[in-house]
Each structure stands twice: as C-alpha cells, then as structure tokens.
Amino acid sequence: MTPDNLNTATATNAITYLMRNYVAYNAWANTTLINWLRTYPEDVLDKEVRSSFSGIKPTILHIWQTQAYWLSVIKKEAFEPEGEFEGSIEDAFATLIQQSEEFSAYVHQMTAASIEENNLVVNPWFNCDFANFEYIQQVMNHSTYHRGQVTTISHHLGLSGAPMTDYNYYNIFGKKKDSQ
C-alpha cells in the first residue's frame, strides 16, 4: 500500500488491510512495551507476583508461544512447542519481538485470498474451521489482553509510566508511513 492511501482500505480489501495493519500494530505494541520494560533492572522484572502468571517473564513467554502456535496454524505447518525456556528475561523479550516481527512479515506477504481462506484446526482443545483472518484477529487480541496483564504486573512491582499501546494510538502516532 502506498503512503497516499495508507489510511484507507482502497488499495486492497478491508480485511486484508486490517489484518496487515493489526499485525504491524501488534509488533509495534510488543516492542514498545518491551522497550519500556528494558528501562528497569532485570532483578526487578524477574520478581514473582500473584497474578494469572507468576510474573512478567512467564507472561511474555505465553504471548510469544501463543503467537508461534497460531502462526504455525496460518502457515499450515506442524507446531513444535518449545521445551522449558532456560533463557533470561532479556532473551524472552528479544524472542517475543522477533516472533512478532515474523508474524507481521508473514501476514504482509499473504494474498487477500489466503487471508480469507478457511483453515481447519484440529487440536486437543477444540476443532474449528475459520478464515485465517479470524485466527489473526484472535491471536492479536490475545496478545493485547496479555500486554495488559504485563502492565498490571508491572504496577504490582512498583513500576510506573507504562507506554500507551492502544490500537488507535498506533494508528495516529506509531504507524510507519511505509508499513502498509
């Protein structure tokens, strides 16, 4: 999409535009949150708190692993779950950013037809046969939900000044003019 029509869906269908914009937003939001977290000492970030996950690192790992699973679904590749993560919190941060960028790059190269194509998912938890754009929307929404949890966990750790990572904020201030 060219910069002169960046804010409209005229160059491609609306679903394709939205999915490409949403995965770019997700990568931006994850990077923005991680860059803020990196301003604090690792020993603070590694502390455990009472939450749905025991801290920032497990929540970041969950976001990354869920994105990796859904990307494998969209690519129609076998998912190979990671073993026990042995890396540092910085390793988790770097991996989430890399995985988010990979997800974005993949969706940006998909055709409109492949974004709208149905994709059968059979796994131990559920079976469904939805269009790929619904899976993309699901995982981006899931990541947004857990970024909120990271912000809440951060507040419990006494951290302040979490960045604004809302979708509209991205559209107004965070979007690169050449990202579409």
PDB file of all heavy atoms in Angstrom, residues 42-63 84-85 89 146 149-157:
ATOM      1  N   GLU A  42      16.789  -6.057  35.595  1.00  0.00           N
ATOM      2  CA  GLU A  42      16.264  -7.409  35.397  1.00  0.00           C
ATOM      3  C   GLU A  42      15.828  -8.050  36.706  1.00  0.00           C
ATOM      4  O   GLU A  42      14.861  -8.801  36.728  1.00  0.00           O
ATOM      5  CB  GLU A  42      17.299  -8.294  34.683  1.00  0.00           C
ATOM      6  CG  GLU A  42      17.389  -8.022  33.199  1.00  0.00           C
ATOM      7  CD  GLU A  42      18.183  -9.076  32.439  1.00  0.00           C
ATOM      8  OE1 GLU A  42      18.206 -10.257  32.860  1.00  0.00           O
ATOM      9  OE2 GLU A  42      18.761  -8.716  31.413  1.00  0.00           O
ATOM     10  N   ASP A  43      16.522  -7.778  37.810  1.00  0.00           N
ATOM     11  CA  ASP A  43      16.145  -8.404  39.077  1.00  0.00           C
ATOM     12  C   ASP A  43      14.751  -7.944  39.528  1.00  0.00           C
ATOM     13  O   ASP A  43      14.007  -8.703  40.143  1.00  0.00           O
ATOM     14  CB  ASP A  43      17.190  -8.159  40.164  1.00  0.00           C
ATOM     15  CG  ASP A  43      17.357  -6.691  40.536  1.00  0.00           C
ATOM     16  OD1 ASP A  43      17.399  -5.840  39.629  1.00  0.00           O
ATOM     17  OD2 ASP A  43      17.471  -6.402  41.749  1.00  0.00           O
ATOM     18  N   VAL A  44      14.353  -6.724  39.184  1.00  0.00           N
ATOM     19  CA  VAL A  44      13.001  -6.247  39.480  1.00  0.00           C
ATOM     20  C   VAL A  44      12.008  -6.943  38.557  1.00  0.00           C
ATOM     21  O   VAL A  44      10.951  -7.419  38.994  1.00  0.00           O
ATOM     22  CB  VAL A  44      12.906  -4.710  39.340  1.00  0.00           C
ATOM     23  CG1 VAL A  44      11.462  -4.242  39.469  1.00  0.00           C
ATOM     24  CG2 VAL A  44      13.797  -4.027  40.359  1.00  0.00           C
ATOM     25  N   LEU A  45      12.339  -7.038  37.289  1.00  0.00           N
ATOM     26  CA  LEU A  45      11.440  -7.641  36.300  1.00  0.00           C
ATOM     27  C   LEU A  45      11.234  -9.134  36.539  1.00  0.00           C
ATOM     28  O   LEU A  45      10.211  -9.695  36.129  1.00  0.00           O
ATOM     29  CB  LEU A  45      11.975  -7.402  34.890  1.00  0.00           C
ATOM     30  CG  LEU A  45      12.125  -5.953  34.459  1.00  0.00           C
ATOM     31  CD1 LEU A  45      12.769  -5.877  33.076  1.00  0.00           C
ATOM     32  CD2 LEU A  45      10.789  -5.229  34.463  1.00  0.00           C
ATOM     33  N   ASP A  46      12.197  -9.790  37.173  1.00  0.00           N
ATOM     34  CA  ASP A  46      12.109 -11.228  37.420  1.00  0.00           C
ATOM     35  C   ASP A  46      11.347 -11.591  38.696  1.00  0.00           C
ATOM     36  O   ASP A  46      11.162 -12.767  38.994  1.00  0.00           O
ATOM     37  CB  ASP A  46      13.512 -11.842  37.486  1.00  0.00           C
ATOM     38  CG  ASP A  46      14.012 -12.305  36.134  1.00  0.00           C
ATOM     39  OD1 ASP A  46      13.176 -12.679  35.279  1.00  0.00           O
ATOM     40  OD2 ASP A  46      15.231 -12.311  35.917  1.00  0.00           O
ATOM     41  N   LYS A  47      10.909 -10.605  39.460  1.00  0.00           N
ATOM     42  CA  LYS A  47      10.189 -10.890  40.706  1.00  0.00           C
ATOM     43  C   LYS A  47       8.833 -11.518  40.404  1.00  0.00           C
ATOM     44  O   LYS A  47       8.201 -11.221  39.396  1.00  0.00           O
ATOM     45  CB  LYS A  47      10.009  -9.613  41.523  1.00  0.00           C
ATOM     46  CG  LYS A  47      11.289  -9.116  42.138  1.00  0.00           C
ATOM     47  CD  LYS A  47      11.041  -7.899  42.998  1.00  0.00           C
ATOM     48  CE  LYS A  47      12.370  -7.446  43.601  1.00  0.00           C
ATOM     49  NZ  LYS A  47      12.191  -6.202  44.371  1.00  0.00           N
ATOM     50  N   GLU A  48       8.421 -12.380  41.328  1.00  0.00           N
ATOM     51  CA  GLU A  48       7.124 -13.028  41.189  1.00  0.00           C
ATOM     52  C   GLU A  48       6.044 -12.204  41.881  1.00  0.00           C
ATOM     53  O   GLU A  48       6.305 -11.532  42.878  1.00  0.00           O
ATOM     54  CB  GLU A  48       7.164 -14.444  41.779  1.00  0.00           C
ATOM     55  CG  GLU A  48       8.003 -15.387  40.947  1.00  0.00           C
ATOM     56  CD  GLU A  48       7.844 -16.841  41.351  1.00  0.00           C
ATOM     57  OE1 GLU A  48       6.967 -17.156  42.194  1.00  0.00           O
ATOM     58  OE2 GLU A  48       8.590 -17.666  40.816  1.00  0.00           O
ATOM     59  N   VAL A  49       4.848 -12.265  41.317  1.00  0.00           N
ATOM     60  CA  VAL A  49       3.682 -11.602  41.883  1.00  0.00           C
ATOM     61  C   VAL A  49       2.489 -12.548  41.786  1.00  0.00           C
ATOM     62  O   VAL A  49       2.530 -13.527  41.027  1.00  0.00           O
ATOM     63  CB  VAL A  49       3.348 -10.276  41.155  1.00  0.00           C
ATOM     64  CG1 VAL A  49       4.476  -9.283  41.284  1.00  0.00           C
ATOM     65  CG2 VAL A  49       3.007 -10.517  39.702  1.00  0.00           C
ATOM     66  N   ARG A  50       1.425 -12.241  42.521  1.00  0.00           N
ATOM     67  CA  ARG A  50       0.191 -13.021  42.411  1.00  0.00           C
ATOM     68  C   ARG A  50      -0.601 -12.473  41.235  1.00  0.00           C
ATOM     69  O   ARG A  50      -1.032 -11.329  41.245  1.00  0.00           O
ATOM     70  CB  ARG A  50      -0.601 -12.930  43.689  1.00  0.00           C
ATOM     71  CG  ARG A  50       0.069 -13.682  44.828  1.00  0.00           C
ATOM     72  CD  ARG A  50      -0.834 -13.743  45.993  1.00  0.00           C
ATOM     73  NE  ARG A  50      -2.025 -14.501  45.575  1.00  0.00           N
ATOM     74  CZ  ARG A  50      -2.934 -14.940  46.400  1.00  0.00           C
ATOM     75  NH1 ARG A  50      -2.836 -14.704  47.669  1.00  0.00           N
ATOM     76  NH2 ARG A  50      -3.979 -15.612  45.947  1.00  0.00           N
ATOM     77  N   SER A  51      -0.732 -13.268  40.216  1.00  0.00           N
ATOM     78  CA  SER A  51      -1.464 -12.895  39.016  1.00  0.00           C
ATOM     79  C   SER A  51      -1.789 -14.170  38.261  1.00  0.00           C
ATOM     80  O   SER A  51      -1.481 -15.262  38.739  1.00  0.00           O
ATOM     81  CB  SER A  51      -0.613 -11.942  38.161  1.00  0.00           C
ATOM     82  OG  SER A  51      -1.355 -11.420  37.092  1.00  0.00           O
ATOM     83  N   SER A  52      -2.382 -14.051  37.094  1.00  0.00           N
ATOM     84  CA  SER A  52      -2.686 -15.252  36.315  1.00  0.00           C
ATOM     85  C   SER A  52      -1.407 -15.966  35.886  1.00  0.00           C
ATOM     86  O   SER A  52      -1.396 -17.176  35.709  1.00  0.00           O
ATOM     87  CB  SER A  52      -3.543 -14.908  35.103  1.00  0.00           C
ATOM     88  OG  SER A  52      -2.880 -13.991  34.286  1.00  0.00           O
ATOM     89  N   PHE A  53      -0.337 -15.213  35.680  1.00  0.00           N
ATOM     90  CA  PHE A  53       1.004 -15.761  35.521  1.00  0.00           C
ATOM     91  C   PHE A  53       1.827 -15.208  36.676  1.00  0.00           C
ATOM     92  O   PHE A  53       1.498 -14.148  37.217  1.00  0.00           O
ATOM     93  CB  PHE A  53       1.621 -15.362  34.173  1.00  0.00           C
ATOM     94  CG  PHE A  53       0.959 -16.033  33.005  1.00  0.00           C
ATOM     95  CD1 PHE A  53      -0.031 -15.383  32.285  1.00  0.00           C
ATOM     96  CD2 PHE A  53       1.309 -17.316  32.627  1.00  0.00           C
ATOM     97  CE1 PHE A  53      -0.661 -16.000  31.215  1.00  0.00           C
ATOM     98  CE2 PHE A  53       0.686 -17.948  31.559  1.00  0.00           C
ATOM     99  CZ  PHE A  53      -0.303 -17.280  30.854  1.00  0.00           C
ATOM    100  N   SER A  54       2.896 -15.887  37.027  1.00  0.00           N
ATOM    101  CA  SER A  54       3.641 -15.515  38.232  1.00  0.00           C
ATOM    102  C   SER A  54       4.538 -14.292  38.060  1.00  0.00           C
ATOM    103  O   SER A  54       5.182 -13.865  39.010  1.00  0.00           O
ATOM    104  CB  SER A  54       4.489 -16.702  38.707  1.00  0.00           C
ATOM    105  OG  SER A  54       5.427 -17.066  37.700  1.00  0.00           O
ATOM    106  N   GLY A  55       4.584 -13.737  36.870  1.00  0.00           N
ATOM    107  CA  GLY A  55       5.422 -12.564  36.674  1.00  0.00           C
ATOM    108  C   GLY A  55       5.455 -12.140  35.217  1.00  0.00           C
ATOM    109  O   GLY A  55       4.729 -12.678  34.365  1.00  0.00           O
ATOM    110  N   ILE A  56       6.321 -11.179  34.956  1.00  0.00           N
ATOM    111  CA  ILE A  56       6.437 -10.630  33.604  1.00  0.00           C
ATOM    112  C   ILE A  56       6.974 -11.673  32.628  1.00  0.00           C
ATOM    113  O   ILE A  56       6.404 -11.872  31.549  1.00  0.00           O
ATOM    114  CB  ILE A  56       7.319  -9.366  33.617  1.00  0.00           C
ATOM    115  CG1 ILE A  56       6.590  -8.241  34.363  1.00  0.00           C
ATOM    116  CG2 ILE A  56       7.688  -8.934  32.199  1.00  0.00           C
ATOM    117  CD1 ILE A  56       7.432  -7.003  34.609  1.00  0.00           C
ATOM    118  N   LYS A  57       8.050 -12.337  32.991  1.00  0.00           N
ATOM    119  CA  LYS A  57       8.671 -13.296  32.074  1.00  0.00           C
ATOM    120  C   LYS A  57       7.707 -14.410  31.647  1.00  0.00           C
ATOM    121  O   LYS A  57       7.569 -14.666  30.438  1.00  0.00           O
ATOM    122  CB  LYS A  57       9.937 -13.876  32.696  1.00  0.00           C
ATOM    123  CG  LYS A  57      10.711 -14.826  31.811  1.00  0.00           C
ATOM    124  CD  LYS A  57      11.977 -15.273  32.521  1.00  0.00           C
ATOM    125  CE  LYS A  57      12.723 -16.356  31.838  1.00  0.00           C
ATOM    126  NZ  LYS A  57      13.904 -16.777  32.627  1.00  0.00           N
ATOM    127  N   PRO A  58       7.008 -15.061  32.575  1.00  0.00           N
ATOM    128  CA  PRO A  58       6.070 -16.103  32.123  1.00  0.00           C
ATOM    129  C   PRO A  58       4.960 -15.561  31.225  1.00  0.00           C
ATOM    130  O   PRO A  58       4.502 -16.253  30.318  1.00  0.00           O
ATOM    131  CB  PRO A  58       5.492 -16.673  33.420  1.00  0.00           C
ATOM    132  CG  PRO A  58       6.391 -16.231  34.505  1.00  0.00           C
ATOM    133  CD  PRO A  58       7.100 -15.005  34.039  1.00  0.00           C
ATOM    134  N   THR A  59       4.540 -14.328  31.462  1.00  0.00           N
ATOM    135  CA  THR A  59       3.503 -13.735  30.615  1.00  0.00           C
ATOM    136  C   THR A  59       4.043 -13.463  29.224  1.00  0.00           C
ATOM    137  O   THR A  59       3.383 -13.753  28.217  1.00  0.00           O
ATOM    138  CB  THR A  59       2.952 -12.450  31.258  1.00  0.00           C
ATOM    139  OG1 THR A  59       2.605 -12.716  32.623  1.00  0.00           O
ATOM    140  CG2 THR A  59       1.732 -11.946  30.505  1.00  0.00           C
ATOM    141  N   ILE A  60       5.255 -12.934  29.140  1.00  0.00           N
ATOM    142  CA  ILE A  60       5.904 -12.687  27.844  1.00  0.00           C
ATOM    143  C   ILE A  60       6.078 -14.001  27.087  1.00  0.00           C
ATOM    144  O   ILE A  60       5.807 -14.080  25.883  1.00  0.00           O
ATOM    145  CB  ILE A  60       7.263 -11.973  28.039  1.00  0.00           C
ATOM    146  CG1 ILE A  60       7.067 -10.566  28.627  1.00  0.00           C
ATOM    147  CG2 ILE A  60       8.083 -11.963  26.752  1.00  0.00           C
ATOM    148  CD1 ILE A  60       6.337  -9.585  27.752  1.00  0.00           C
ATOM    149  N   LEU A  61       6.509 -15.049  27.798  1.00  0.00           N
ATOM    150  CA  LEU A  61       6.671 -16.353  27.152  1.00  0.00           C
ATOM    151  C   LEU A  61       5.330 -16.875  26.619  1.00  0.00           C
ATOM    152  O   LEU A  61       5.274 -17.445  25.528  1.00  0.00           O
ATOM    153  CB  LEU A  61       7.279 -17.363  28.125  1.00  0.00           C
ATOM    154  CG  LEU A  61       8.718 -17.096  28.548  1.00  0.00           C
ATOM    155  CD1 LEU A  61       9.138 -18.091  29.632  1.00  0.00           C
ATOM    156  CD2 LEU A  61       9.668 -17.160  27.361  1.00  0.00           C
ATOM    157  N   HIS A  62       4.273 -16.674  27.374  1.00  0.00           N
ATOM    158  CA  HIS A  62       2.947 -17.120  26.929  1.00  0.00           C
ATOM    159  C   HIS A  62       2.509 -16.374  25.669  1.00  0.00           C
ATOM    160  O   HIS A  62       1.995 -16.999  24.726  1.00  0.00           O
ATOM    161  CB  HIS A  62       1.927 -16.931  28.059  1.00  0.00           C
ATOM    162  CG  HIS A  62       0.544 -17.284  27.658  1.00  0.00           C
ATOM    163  ND1 HIS A  62       0.129 -18.592  27.451  1.00  0.00           N
ATOM    164  CD2 HIS A  62      -0.530 -16.503  27.408  1.00  0.00           C
ATOM    165  CE1 HIS A  62      -1.141 -18.588  27.086  1.00  0.00           C
ATOM    166  NE2 HIS A  62      -1.570 -17.340  27.049  1.00  0.00           N
ATOM    167  N   ILE A  63       2.725 -15.081  25.630  1.00  0.00           N
ATOM    168  CA  ILE A  63       2.376 -14.311  24.428  1.00  0.00           C
ATOM    169  C   ILE A  63       3.141 -14.862  23.231  1.00  0.00           C
ATOM    170  O   ILE A  63       2.566 -15.143  22.172  1.00  0.00           O
ATOM    171  CB  ILE A  63       2.676 -12.804  24.615  1.00  0.00           C
ATOM    172  CG1 ILE A  63       1.813 -12.190  25.711  1.00  0.00           C
ATOM    173  CG2 ILE A  63       2.476 -12.051  23.292  1.00  0.00           C
ATOM    174  CD1 ILE A  63       2.250 -10.784  26.121  1.00  0.00           C
ATOM    175  N   GLU A  84      11.203 -26.371  28.025  1.00  0.00           N
ATOM    176  CA  GLU A  84      11.329 -25.435  29.143  1.00  0.00           C
ATOM    177  C   GLU A  84      12.269 -24.305  28.749  1.00  0.00           C
ATOM    178  O   GLU A  84      13.394 -24.554  28.317  1.00  0.00           O
ATOM    179  CB  GLU A  84      11.871 -26.161  30.379  1.00  0.00           C
ATOM    180  CG  GLU A  84      11.929 -25.332  31.625  1.00  0.00           C
ATOM    181  CD  GLU A  84      10.548 -25.030  32.206  1.00  0.00           C
ATOM    182  OE1 GLU A  84       9.622 -25.821  31.981  1.00  0.00           O
ATOM    183  OE2 GLU A  84      10.426 -23.997  32.866  1.00  0.00           O
ATOM    184  N   PHE A  85      11.814 -23.087  28.867  1.00  0.00           N
ATOM    185  CA  PHE A  85      12.614 -21.918  28.491  1.00  0.00           C
ATOM    186  C   PHE A  85      13.679 -21.687  29.550  1.00  0.00           C
ATOM    187  O   PHE A  85      13.375 -21.527  30.729  1.00  0.00           O
ATOM    188  CB  PHE A  85      11.718 -20.687  28.336  1.00  0.00           C
ATOM    189  CG  PHE A  85      12.455 -19.475  27.837  1.00  0.00           C
ATOM    190  CD1 PHE A  85      12.772 -19.340  26.494  1.00  0.00           C
ATOM    191  CD2 PHE A  85      12.837 -18.467  28.711  1.00  0.00           C
ATOM    192  CE1 PHE A  85      13.446 -18.221  26.027  1.00  0.00           C
ATOM    193  CE2 PHE A  85      13.500 -17.346  28.259  1.00  0.00           C
ATOM    194  CZ  PHE A  85      13.811 -17.228  26.912  1.00  0.00           C
ATOM    195  N   ILE A  89      15.298 -13.008  31.068  1.00  0.00           N
ATOM    196  CA  ILE A  89      14.142 -12.187  30.700  1.00  0.00           C
ATOM    197  C   ILE A  89      14.452 -11.398  29.430  1.00  0.00           C
ATOM    198  O   ILE A  89      13.595 -11.212  28.584  1.00  0.00           O
ATOM    199  CB  ILE A  89      13.666 -11.288  31.861  1.00  0.00           C
ATOM    200  CG1 ILE A  89      12.260 -10.774  31.544  1.00  0.00           C
ATOM    201  CG2 ILE A  89      14.656 -10.187  32.164  1.00  0.00           C
ATOM    202  CD1 ILE A  89      11.500 -10.255  32.739  1.00  0.00           C
ATOM    203  N   HIS A 146      -2.838  -9.900  27.104  1.00  0.00           N
ATOM    204  CA  HIS A 146      -1.709 -10.211  27.986  1.00  0.00           C
ATOM    205  C   HIS A 146      -0.740  -9.040  28.137  1.00  0.00           C
ATOM    206  O   HIS A 146      -0.075  -8.934  29.171  1.00  0.00           O
ATOM    207  CB  HIS A 146      -1.016 -11.489  27.529  1.00  0.00           C
ATOM    208  CG  HIS A 146      -1.840 -12.701  27.832  1.00  0.00           C
ATOM    209  ND1 HIS A 146      -2.148 -13.099  29.116  1.00  0.00           N
ATOM    210  CD2 HIS A 146      -2.465 -13.582  27.018  1.00  0.00           C
ATOM    211  CE1 HIS A 146      -2.894 -14.178  29.098  1.00  0.00           C
ATOM    212  NE2 HIS A 146      -3.105 -14.496  27.823  1.00  0.00           N
ATOM    213  N   GLN A 149      -1.994  -7.482  31.073  1.00  0.00           N
ATOM    214  CA  GLN A 149      -1.567  -8.180  32.281  1.00  0.00           C
ATOM    215  C   GLN A 149      -0.133  -7.804  32.655  1.00  0.00           C
ATOM    216  O   GLN A 149       0.178  -7.637  33.837  1.00  0.00           O
ATOM    217  CB  GLN A 149      -1.675  -9.690  32.103  1.00  0.00           C
ATOM    218  CG  GLN A 149      -3.095 -10.179  32.106  1.00  0.00           C
ATOM    219  CD  GLN A 149      -3.163 -11.677  32.052  1.00  0.00           C
ATOM    220  OE1 GLN A 149      -2.426 -12.318  31.298  1.00  0.00           O
ATOM    221  NE2 GLN A 149      -4.058 -12.250  32.833  1.00  0.00           N
ATOM    222  N   VAL A 150       0.740  -7.678  31.670  1.00  0.00           N
ATOM    223  CA  VAL A 150       2.118  -7.267  31.952  1.00  0.00           C
ATOM    224  C   VAL A 150       2.127  -5.890  32.600  1.00  0.00           C
ATOM    225  O   VAL A 150       2.867  -5.647  33.563  1.00  0.00           O
ATOM    226  CB  VAL A 150       2.989  -7.283  30.672  1.00  0.00           C
ATOM    227  CG1 VAL A 150       4.338  -6.626  30.906  1.00  0.00           C
ATOM    228  CG2 VAL A 150       3.181  -8.719  30.175  1.00  0.00           C
ATOM    229  N   THR A 151       1.288  -4.989  32.110  1.00  0.00           N
ATOM    230  CA  THR A 151       1.197  -3.654  32.701  1.00  0.00           C
ATOM    231  C   THR A 151       0.720  -3.740  34.145  1.00  0.00           C
ATOM    232  O   THR A 151       1.276  -3.079  35.036  1.00  0.00           O
ATOM    233  CB  THR A 151       0.259  -2.755  31.867  1.00  0.00           C
ATOM    234  OG1 THR A 151       0.798  -2.651  30.542  1.00  0.00           O
ATOM    235  CG2 THR A 151       0.127  -1.375  32.461  1.00  0.00           C
ATOM    236  N   THR A 152      -0.282  -4.571  34.407  1.00  0.00           N
ATOM    237  CA  THR A 152      -0.777  -4.737  35.771  1.00  0.00           C
ATOM    238  C   THR A 152       0.294  -5.347  36.673  1.00  0.00           C
ATOM    239  O   THR A 152       0.513  -4.881  37.796  1.00  0.00           O
ATOM    240  CB  THR A 152      -2.057  -5.597  35.770  1.00  0.00           C
ATOM    241  OG1 THR A 152      -3.047  -4.932  34.982  1.00  0.00           O
ATOM    242  CG2 THR A 152      -2.573  -5.827  37.175  1.00  0.00           C
ATOM    243  N   ILE A 153       0.971  -6.369  36.206  1.00  0.00           N
ATOM    244  CA  ILE A 153       2.060  -6.980  36.975  1.00  0.00           C
ATOM    245  C   ILE A 153       3.132  -5.933  37.261  1.00  0.00           C
ATOM    246  O   ILE A 153       3.661  -5.855  38.376  1.00  0.00           O
ATOM    247  CB  ILE A 153       2.644  -8.201  36.229  1.00  0.00           C
ATOM    248  CG1 ILE A 153       1.614  -9.338  36.189  1.00  0.00           C
ATOM    249  CG2 ILE A 153       3.951  -8.658  36.872  1.00  0.00           C
ATOM    250  CD1 ILE A 153       1.973 -10.473  35.232  1.00  0.00           C
ATOM    251  N   SER A 154       3.434  -5.112  36.268  1.00  0.00           N
ATOM    252  CA  SER A 154       4.438  -4.057  36.442  1.00  0.00           C
ATOM    253  C   SER A 154       4.032  -3.099  37.556  1.00  0.00           C
ATOM    254  O   SER A 154       4.872  -2.689  38.365  1.00  0.00           O
ATOM    255  CB  SER A 154       4.622  -3.280  35.132  1.00  0.00           C
ATOM    256  OG  SER A 154       5.096  -4.130  34.126  1.00  0.00           O
ATOM    257  N   HIS A 155       2.755  -2.749  37.604  1.00  0.00           N
ATOM    258  CA  HIS A 155       2.273  -1.867  38.676  1.00  0.00           C
ATOM    259  C   HIS A 155       2.449  -2.523  40.035  1.00  0.00           C
ATOM    260  O   HIS A 155       2.830  -1.862  41.005  1.00  0.00           O
ATOM    261  CB  HIS A 155       0.816  -1.484  38.444  1.00  0.00           C
ATOM    262  CG  HIS A 155       0.636  -0.577  37.277  1.00  0.00           C
ATOM    263  ND1 HIS A 155      -0.544  -0.501  36.586  1.00  0.00           N
ATOM    264  CD2 HIS A 155       1.472   0.301  36.665  1.00  0.00           C
ATOM    265  CE1 HIS A 155      -0.426   0.376  35.603  1.00  0.00           C
ATOM    266  NE2 HIS A 155       0.792   0.865  35.628  1.00  0.00           N
ATOM    267  N   HIS A 156       2.201  -3.831  40.116  1.00  0.00           N
ATOM    268  CA  HIS A 156       2.410  -4.560  41.374  1.00  0.00           C
ATOM    269  C   HIS A 156       3.882  -4.551  41.783  1.00  0.00           C
ATOM    270  O   HIS A 156       4.189  -4.653  42.971  1.00  0.00           O
ATOM    271  CB  HIS A 156       1.910  -5.999  41.262  1.00  0.00           C
ATOM    272  CG  HIS A 156       0.427  -6.130  41.223  1.00  0.00           C
ATOM    273  ND1 HIS A 156      -0.411  -5.698  42.225  1.00  0.00           N
ATOM    274  CD2 HIS A 156      -0.399  -6.637  40.266  1.00  0.00           C
ATOM    275  CE1 HIS A 156      -1.666  -5.936  41.915  1.00  0.00           C
ATOM    276  NE2 HIS A 156      -1.691  -6.504  40.715  1.00  0.00           N
ATOM    277  N   LEU A 157       4.767  -4.443  40.823  1.00  0.00           N
ATOM    278  CA  LEU A 157       6.210  -4.392  41.103  1.00  0.00           C
ATOM    279  C   LEU A 157       6.688  -2.968  41.395  1.00  0.00           C
ATOM    280  O   LEU A 157       7.868  -2.750  41.623  1.00  0.00           O
ATOM    281  CB  LEU A 157       6.994  -4.976  39.919  1.00  0.00           C
ATOM    282  CG  LEU A 157       6.786  -6.460  39.657  1.00  0.00           C
ATOM    283  CD1 LEU A 157       7.456  -6.875  38.352  1.00  0.00           C
ATOM    284  CD2 LEU A 157       7.324  -7.289  40.826  1.00  0.00           C
TER     285      LEU A 157
END
